[in-house]
Amino acid sequence: MAGRLVIVGAGQAGFALAAKLRALKDERPITILGAEDVIPYQRPPLSKKYLLGEMDFERLTYRPQSWFEENNVELRLSAYVEEIHRDDKHVRMADGSTLDYENLALATGASPRTLPAALGGDLDGVYTVRDKRDADRLAGEMRPGRRLLIIGGGYIGLEAAAVARHLGLEVTLIEMADRILQRVAAPQTADIMRAIHVGHGVAIREKTGLRRLLGMDGKVTAAELSDDTTLDVDFVIVGIGVSPNDRLAQDSGIEVANGILVDEFARTSDPAIFAMGDCAMLPWKGMQIRLESVQNAVDQAEAAAAVLAGAGVPYEPKPWFWSDQYDVKLQIAGFNLGYDETLQRAGSREGSASVWYFREGHLVAVDAINDAKAYVTGKKLLESGLPVDRARLADPSVDLKQLLS
Ligand SMILES: Cc1cc2nc3c(=O)[nH]c(=O)nc-3n(C[C@H](O)[C@H](O)[C@H](O)COP(=O)(O)OP(=O)(O)OC[C@H]3O[C@@H](n4cnc5c(N)ncnc54)[C@H](O)[C@@H]3O)c2cc1C
């Protein structure tokens, strides 16, 4: 039997790796070392139903505690790994204890970017949303009538805005760039999502940055904005992106470049060590990319499991992502990096639409807004590589199914 696999990080990818190995009947000893004090759980609801109070923690977890015992997967919580000693293959935890490995998997995720203290980022009442503890602290602030400032118009900021409006807060969202969703979606998708939020009463201020947060007795009270206005606030959510947790790898001499560099088998520059999920930078269609999504964390971890179990095939990401805001489901298939053309199509029912992305004439992604048919068709078209007739796609009288034949 193979020697011990140590997994650093008890999140989406870490859990998926252990679960897949057991599903493949691989019986090697597995230890998962997780920095948090709770068993592995899904993060997406933290800015959606969990924050709204409509989902309890048990429903967030992938499996109950008993699964780990029944499957002989040792789970050590509150176990933060500080060092990897590659020469004699062990890791050292923050409490000084060590653990030997034959293979190591780094599934350390990403950390939200924070505001520097010089801008008031260290004041009480300033939050990021990454883990259960963040969401629990934030939920305590979400009371009707309170004034919330959200910094950053990406998915996390927009989802938090939707929750806050649902709960009756006054919400202002500022975005330094020209528009919300600038980094991840086309102007058409941003226009649709902006209109939805404005319709729900969110004050969206684009091209508006934060000068600094002001506080009293260590607690945030106001925000000075780049347009020379000052806004009174009760609390602030910072949603300005994440950075991969790659320091552990870097300190041990593993190759890192804005994420832990891996090959298509999720192997790092050390053949005994794998990396997967948000912390990994992977090759795809001649590019190096990092994908921050459930799909990638699970699929890449499962690909690594197959490699460990001896039957690996190269991992080819099939990106998909979703975001829930109010009663709107945004589903994204593909990856729009480097797109040079977009096309918007009206959906068959009110409020549904889709935005299609092309690069050099080839479909690369689709954003479907309350439009499951567009999402499913887009996914099939991306998988098949079939050429897409753009004139027919733009014509709402053409059934999407016809594009598949
Ligand atoms: C609020 C929120 C909403 C999201 N919504 C969506 C969505 O709608 N759709 C979607 O596809 N994706 C969504 N995502 C992204 C998705 O959750 C992540 O892509 C996914 O969790 C990545 O899995 P991972 O295992 O790489 O990292 P994580 O799930 O973050 O797990 C990493 C774990 O490693 C631990 N760790 C880090 N360093 C160490 C160390 N040195 N020692 C021990 N443990 C360590 C961390 O504490 C963490 O528990 C969302 C994320 C957040 C935060």
Side-chain angles (χ1 to χ4, degrees), residues 131-182:
D131 58 29
K132 173 182 181 291
R133 214 178 45 145
D134 297 336
D136 288 343
R137 287 167 57 227
L138 194 52
E141 298 269 19
M142 291 272 189
R143 295 191 301 279
R146 302 196 79 219
R147 295 157 306 177
L148 164 63
L149 170 66
I150 298 176
I151 302 174
Y155 290 119
I156 300 269
L158 291 173
E159 289 179 358
V163 169
R165 284 302 297 146
H166 191 95
L167 295 173
L169 284 81
E170 283 177 31
V171 182
T172 302
L173 183 150
I174 58 168
E175 169 55 61
M176 198 168 63
D178 288 353
R179 60 173 177 85
I180 57 167
L181 299 174
Q182 173 111 316

Side-chain angles (χ1 to χ4, degrees), residues 87-101:
D87 40 0
D88 59 356
K89 291 183 138 187
H90 74 261
V91 292
R92 189 179 61 74
M93 266 77 77
D95 66 1
S97 60
T98 61
L99 184 65
D100 293 342
Y101 65 81

Side-chain angles (χ1 to χ4, degrees), residues 53-349:
E54 288 182 357
M55 198 174 181
D56 58 21
F57 182 67
E58 278 61 46
R59 280 185 57 209
L60 285 193
T61 59
Y62 304 113
R63 293 284 186 279
Q65 175 79 46
S66 54
W67 181 91
F68 295 88
E69 283 119 45
E70 285 157 13
N71 286 277
N72 196 23
V73 173
E74 186 192 9
L75 176 62
R76 294 198 203 168
L77 301 175
S78 307
Y80 185 80
V81 176
E82 278 195 335
E83 274 173 3
I84 305 170
H85 292 258
R86 295 197 290 135
D87 40 0
D88 59 356
K89 291 183 138 187
H90 74 261
V91 292
R92 189 179 61 74
M93 266 77 77
D95 66 1
S97 60
T98 61
L99 184 65
D100 293 342
Y101 65 81
E102 179 171 312
N103 284 111
L104 185 66
L106 301 173
T108 47
S111 297
R113 294 204 188 98
T114 52
L115 286 182
L119 298 188
D122 58 345
L123 290 167
D124 283 348
V126 180
Y127 298 89
T128 51
V129 200
R130 182 72 196 181
D131 58 29
K132 173 182 181 291
R133 214 178 45 145
D134 297 336
D136 288 343
R137 287 167 57 227
L138 194 52
E141 298 269 19
M142 291 272 189
R143 295 191 301 279
R146 302 196 79 219
R147 295 157 306 177
L148 164 63
L149 170 66
I150 298 176
I151 302 174
Y155 290 119
I156 300 269
L158 291 173
E159 289 179 358
V163 169
R165 284 302 297 146
H166 191 95
L167 295 173
L169 284 81
E170 283 177 31
V171 182
T172 302
L173 183 150
I174 58 168
E175 169 55 61
M176 198 168 63
D178 288 353
R179 60 173 177 85
I180 57 167
L181 299 174
Q182 173 111 316
R183 195 177 59 89
V184 288
Q188 293 99 320
T189 301
D191 290 347
I192 294 169
M193 297 314 295
R194 183 190 307 103
I196 290 166
H197 280 274
V198 170
H200 280 87
V202 178
I204 293 192
R205 293 164 68 169
E206 293 160 314
K207 294 187 205 149
T208 307
L210 175 77
R211 218 163 261 161
R212 63 186 176 127
L213 296 175
L214 307 174
M216 202 182 280
D217 302 328
K219 167 102 179 65
V220 69
T221 53
E224 261 180 33
L225 306 181
S226 60
D227 59 3
D228 292 331
T229 58
T230 301
L231 202 68
D232 291 333
V233 300
D234 294 312
F235 67 107
V236 175
I237 297 177
V238 181
I240 53 175
V242 297
S243 312
N245 292 330
D246 56 10
R247 188 198 55 82
L248 188 60
Q250 185 166 24
D251 289 352
S252 71
I254 293 170
E255 279 179 36
V256 158
N258 182 31
I260 306 168
L261 290 172
V262 294
D263 64 13
E264 58 274 49
F265 298 100
R267 273 205 190 97
T268 68
S269 55
D270 178 333
I273 302 181
F274 293 74
M276 58 214 63
D278 284 10
C279 69
M281 176 67 100
L282 58 140
W284 191 51
K285 300 189 176 175
M287 301 179 279
Q288 295 284 338
I289 57 166
R290 256 189 351 95
L291 293 167
E292 295 158 13
S293 72
V294 167
Q295 166 274 325
N296 177 62
V298 173
D299 291 356
Q300 199 183 19
E302 293 193 346
V307 175
L308 280 160
V313 288
Y315 166 55
E316 222 209 296
K318 296 195 172 55
W320 62 264
F321 185 86
W322 79 95
S323 176
D324 298 327
Q325 298 165 41
Y326 312 102
D327 54 354
V328 175
K329 186 167 231 22
L330 170 62
Q331 291 167 292
I332 301 165
F335 193 46
N336 66 20
L337 190 73
Y339 69 90
D340 49 30
E341 192 188 338
T342 53
L343 185 159
Q344 185 170 342
R345 182 184 155 102
S348 53
R349 55 192 181 94

